[in-house]
Amino acid sequence: MMRRAACATLTAALLPTLLGGCARSLLPEPVVSPALFALSGESEATAAAAGPVATARTLIVSPPRAAPGFESSRIAYARRPYEIEYFAHNEWVDTPANMLAPKMVRAIERTGAFHAVMGSPTSAIGQFRLETELVRLQQEFSTTPSHVRLTLRAVLIETTTRRIVASREFDARTDARTDDPYGGVVAAQRAVSQVVDELALFCAASVR
């Protein structure tokens, strides 16, 4: 009898704790907002190559395409070849391809090789059209320190004849100062700056 009374007392004492634990387990987990990062990669390096503004030469920059796995705003990384992973709580504010487009336009404008450089969509018809594909943008942990790899494929086309004037693949590898997502983001800015400058000079040289 005393044992049953003791058990009842113990159950009564533990009941609020047990109910509280159950209630907590039924509540949804708090949502963690991802850290958002932008691609800057702005550089004035191509301005030094600018000459007299060309007359009549116009260039339409088509929206960059993205290879499978790099078409979203998720920040990609790789620990071994052929496998793409994504950071859980770190993202770009937009897709890398969308963020690259205006940077390419500004860098090509600074070369002075074209009378006008316009992003697409536009109703204008340019003498030339630039088509690009983002092949990869990822932080790679196969080395110490880790590094960011950016690869961009470009094709310059003469609009009226649809003739390929020139094509090239640009590849940049920049070391990350820290082996974490932010270190990769900072390294990506340098990679973007390098590739965009090289792309601008490539376009200018191809039409001169």
Side-chain angles (χ1 to χ4, degrees), residues 2 13 15 26 52 55 62-63 66-67 77 81 83 91-92 95 100 128 135 142 159 171 175 188 193 196 202 206:
M2 291 177 63
L15 187 58
L26 293 175
T55 58
S62 299
Y77 71 94
E83 183 179 11
E91 296 181 5
W92 300 113
T95 65
L100 277 173
F128 298 94
V135 178
S142 56
T159 306
D171 190 79
D175 288 342
S193 177
V196 167
F202 156 79
S206 299

Side-chain angles (χ1 to χ4, degrees), residues 59-64 101 104-105 108 117-120 128-130 132:
L59 174 67
I60 306 298
V61 179
S62 299
M104 294 190 298
V105 170
I108 297 170
V117 182
M118 290 163 286
S120 185
F128 298 94
R129 186 174 77 254
L130 177 66
T132 55

Side-chain angles (χ1 to χ4, degrees), residues 37 75-77 87 90 138-148 174-188 190:
F37 300 99
I75 299 180
Y77 71 94
F87 290 113
N90 298 268
Q138 63 188 27
Q139 186 173 3
E140 299 181 348
F141 291 92
S142 56
T143 60
T144 303
S146 63
H147 60 271
V148 166
T174 55
D175 288 342
R177 291 175 184 147
T178 55
D179 290 332
D180 56 18
Y182 186 72
V185 166
V186 174
R190 301 196 304 274

Side-chain angles (χ1 to χ4, degrees), residues 150-164:
L150 169 60
T151 306
L152 184 75
R153 188 175 295 125
V155 179
L156 187 64
I157 301 170
E158 190 175 38
T159 306
T160 55
T161 63
R162 298 187 180 180
R163 177 178 64 92
I164 294 177

Side-chain angles (χ1 to χ4, degrees), residues 51-140:
V53 175
T55 58
R57 285 196 198 119
T58 53
L59 174 67
I60 306 298
V61 179
S62 299
R65 300 184 304 275
F70 301 99
E71 64 273 68
S72 76
S73 59
R74 303 173 72 185
I75 299 180
Y77 71 94
R79 290 181 289 183
R80 56 185 179 179
Y82 316 118
E83 183 179 11
I84 300 174
E85 300 177 76
Y86 304 97
F87 290 113
H89 304 299
N90 298 268
E91 296 181 5
W92 300 113
V93 295
D94 197 353
T95 65
N98 285 346
M99 289 188 288
L100 277 173
K103 303 178 195 317
M104 294 190 298
V105 170
R106 289 193 291 271
I108 297 170
E109 280 178 333
R110 289 195 296 267
T111 66
F114 298 90
H115 175 67
V117 182
M118 290 163 286
S120 185
T122 176
S123 58
I125 300 175
Q127 183 182 356
F128 298 94
R129 186 174 77 254
L130 177 66
E131 295 189 353
T132 55
E133 180 187 15
L134 179 65
V135 178
R136 72 172 63 84
L137 175 59
Q138 63 188 27
Q139 186 173 3
E140 299 181 348

